[in-house]
Amino acid sequence: MWICPKCGREFKRTNQGHYCGKAPETVLEYIASQPLETHSHLTEMMTTIQNSVPCVDERILWSMPFYEKEGKSVSFSACKKHISLYVGVEAIEEFVSELNEFGTKKNAVYFPYSKELPIELIGKIVTWCLN
């Protein structure tokens, strides 16, 4: 067991990532709570998702940005070295040839902060997932 020295919560894994205290209520609060060097990528991800699908519902779920339309969803989270975009196994399979320069696992694509976000590709994936 590992106990966070800041908030006192117990976790099975050492240095488990989590929020100490109250979770953010909006995506902008979520972005503001992340390290400053990630803000431009996170804001760009948020804007790309919002612009890709009209009338998408935006909220925080599982302490991360979550977008839903008619029962379909995508979400993203900030990690130390990348943004994880959670789109589902089917989307990964559909866009596999365009994702070869990015890491993928099960239902997520990893976009490193060291590279510009592929806005057009993200828009295509999000549109595919939510329409």
Side-chain angles (χ1 to χ4, degrees):
M1 286 297 244
W2 175 72
I3 299 173
C4 174
K6 290 183 183 177
C7 68
R9 288 175 54 194
E10 292 184 12
F11 297 94
K12 291 181 183 177
R13 293 188 328 201
T14 302
N15 294 322
Q16 169 72 42
H18 67 284
Y19 288 104
C20 292
K22 186 176 172 256
E25 293 182 17
T26 68
V27 175
L28 291 176
E29 281 182 22
Y30 175 87
I31 292 170
S33 73
Q34 302 303 316
L36 188 58
E37 61 273 11
T38 67
H39 287 193
S40 64
H41 274 72
L42 295 171
T43 302
E44 199 169 17
M45 179 67 77
M46 173 192 73
T47 304
T48 301
I49 294 170
Q50 291 169 336
N51 292 340
S52 296
V53 180
C55 303
V56 67
D57 292 325
E58 176 184 85
R59 61 187 164 130
I60 297 293
L61 191 63
W62 303 299
S63 296
M64 65 181 169
F66 182 87
Y67 298 85
E68 184 177 35
K69 184 174 180 183
E70 299 171 3
K72 300 173 185 174
S73 65
V74 297
S75 59
F76 70 88
S77 66
C79 300
K80 283 185 181 181
K81 297 183 180 185
H82 64 268
I83 298 175
S84 294
L85 177 63
Y86 302 97
V87 294
V89 175
E90 297 85 5
I92 304 284
E93 291 170 356
E94 178 72 19
F95 293 93
V96 70
S97 64
E98 297 176 72
L99 294 170
N100 55 7
E101 66 181 277
F102 304 102
T104 60
K105 268 194 182 169
K106 293 182 185 177
N107 66 342
V109 182
Y110 305 133
F111 297 105
Y113 296 121
S114 60
K115 293 182 175 183
E116 284 187 36
L117 286 177
I119 298 304
E120 189 176 313
L121 175 59
I122 292 168
K124 283 174 33 180
I125 294 170
V126 168
T127 300
W128 187 89
C129 289
L130 298 179
N131 283 322

